[in-house]
Amino acid sequence: AQSVTQLGSHVSVSEGALVLLRCNYSSSVPPYLFWYVQYPNQGLQLLLKYTSAATLVKGINGFEAEFKKSETSFHLTKPSAHMSDAAEYFCAVSAGYQKVTFGTGTKLQVIP
Amino acid sequence: NAGVTQTPKFRVLKTGQSMTLLCAQDMNHEYMYWYRQDPGMGLRLIHYSVGEGTTAKGEVPDGYNVSRLKKQNFLLGLESAAPSQTSVYFCASSYPWQGRNTEAFFGQGTRLTVV
């Protein structure tokens, strides 16, 4: 079985501040992990993915995430928030030939 | 490449009407999915398919049916629409790699309102 928990349905940060969105996963086998972003009235697009290579993964728009097996975490970070980062972010896990399981999402608000 | 294309983009139905949502992908992906997205509930899997001619139930399959007669198409049907099916529907596709399912590619969504 696999599952994903995103801590915090809403996160607010000031423009220029650190962005930290939390994701913890559960998986019976080594997983692949993903972060997606959804802008208003759009579909989801992939930000970055972990596929068992480097544990620190860099994605688009300056985001990165670190796979920590001991903590079963895959938190998303960005050093300096920009107004254009305001969106909803989804963490997802894939373990074996199963469907990809998504978290419930975190809405990021960036305050000018 | 167009990626994943959903039609229609918007639809209003009356309770009890039926409709079919079409999803088409041009990436030769094995897996295809239908999700619904409701405020505060994230993405919930309705049905999915791991290959042409195969379908399986997801978390919330009741009231929906699917078919995958061709590898590139995945159809979602509502036989008798209910207001509880008002939602945004997303189709996605993915492919297996090194023993796992890879990232999903999403369509732009279909906003369905049932009145």
Side-chain angles (χ1 to χ4, degrees):
Chain A
Q2 59 188 39
S3 65
V4 166
T5 302
Q6 290 185 242
L7 299 175
S9 59
H10 290 81
V11 171
S12 294
V13 300
S14 297
E15 191 174 15
L18 171 72
V19 176
L20 171 61
L21 303 182
R22 300 179 186 273
C23 173
N24 288 92
Y25 70 91
S26 173
S27 172
S28 56
V29 299
Y32 286 175
L33 293 158
F34 314 93
W35 275 101
Y36 289 83
V37 61
Q38 185 182 30
Y39 299 104
N41 299 315
Q42 295 188 23
L44 279 72
Q45 62 182 134
L46 186 69
L47 264 182
L48 49 80
K49 62 182 178 182
Y50 166 77
T51 57
S52 72
T55 56
L56 182 62
V57 181
K58 295 187 184 297
I60 61 172
N61 300 337
F63 284 93
E64 62 182 36
E66 187 171 8
F67 172 70
K68 292 187 177 181
K69 183 178 179 180
S70 60
E71 299 176 10
T72 62
S73 68
F74 191 57
H75 301 332
L76 182 70
T77 61
K78 182 175 180 178
S80 177
H82 192 272
M83 295 299 295
S84 61
D85 294 327
E88 189 161 17
Y89 293 81
F90 292 90
C91 183
V93 61
S94 168
Y97 288 114
Q98 298 181 39
K99 56 181 172 59
V100 177
T101 299
F102 287 83
T104 52
T106 298
K107 286 189 177 177
L108 177 66
Q109 179 186 21
V110 181
I111 303 167
Chain B
N1 286 348
V4 178
T5 303
Q6 292 181 231
T7 53
K9 290 184 170 49
F10 302 94
R11 185 72 186 267
V12 178
L13 282 180
K14 293 183 178 179
T15 298
Q17 287 185 319
S18 63
M19 78 163 294
T20 300
L21 281 66
L22 172 63
C23 177
Q25 53 98 1
D26 61 2
M27 297 172 284
N28 201 36
H29 285 173
E30 290 294 327
Y31 299 173
M32 295 187 74
Y33 316 84
W34 276 107
Y35 292 92
R36 60 178 288 173
Q37 185 177 30
D38 303 289
M41 305 194 74
L43 288 165
R44 293 184 291 171
L45 184 65
I46 305 171
H47 286 280
Y48 65 102
S49 168
V50 299
E52 181 179 320
T54 70
T55 62
K57 294 180 179 180
E59 304 168 60
V60 290
D62 293 343
Y64 305 95
N65 56 76
V66 289
S67 64
R68 188 146 179 225
L69 299 179
K70 294 183 178 180
K71 186 177 185 179
Q72 64 268 32
N73 295 336
F74 195 30
L75 278 64
L76 177 71
L78 285 73
E79 291 186 347
S80 179
S84 61
Q85 295 178 303
T86 294
S87 187
V88 180
Y89 292 85
F90 287 100
C91 176
S93 69
S94 68
Y95 58 97
W97 187 67
Q98 292 189 345
R100 291 169 185 80
N101 205 347
T102 63
E103 74 267 25
F105 293 75
F106 282 82
Q108 289 299 296
T110 296
R111 189 171 297 272
L112 175 66
T113 301
V114 182
V115 298

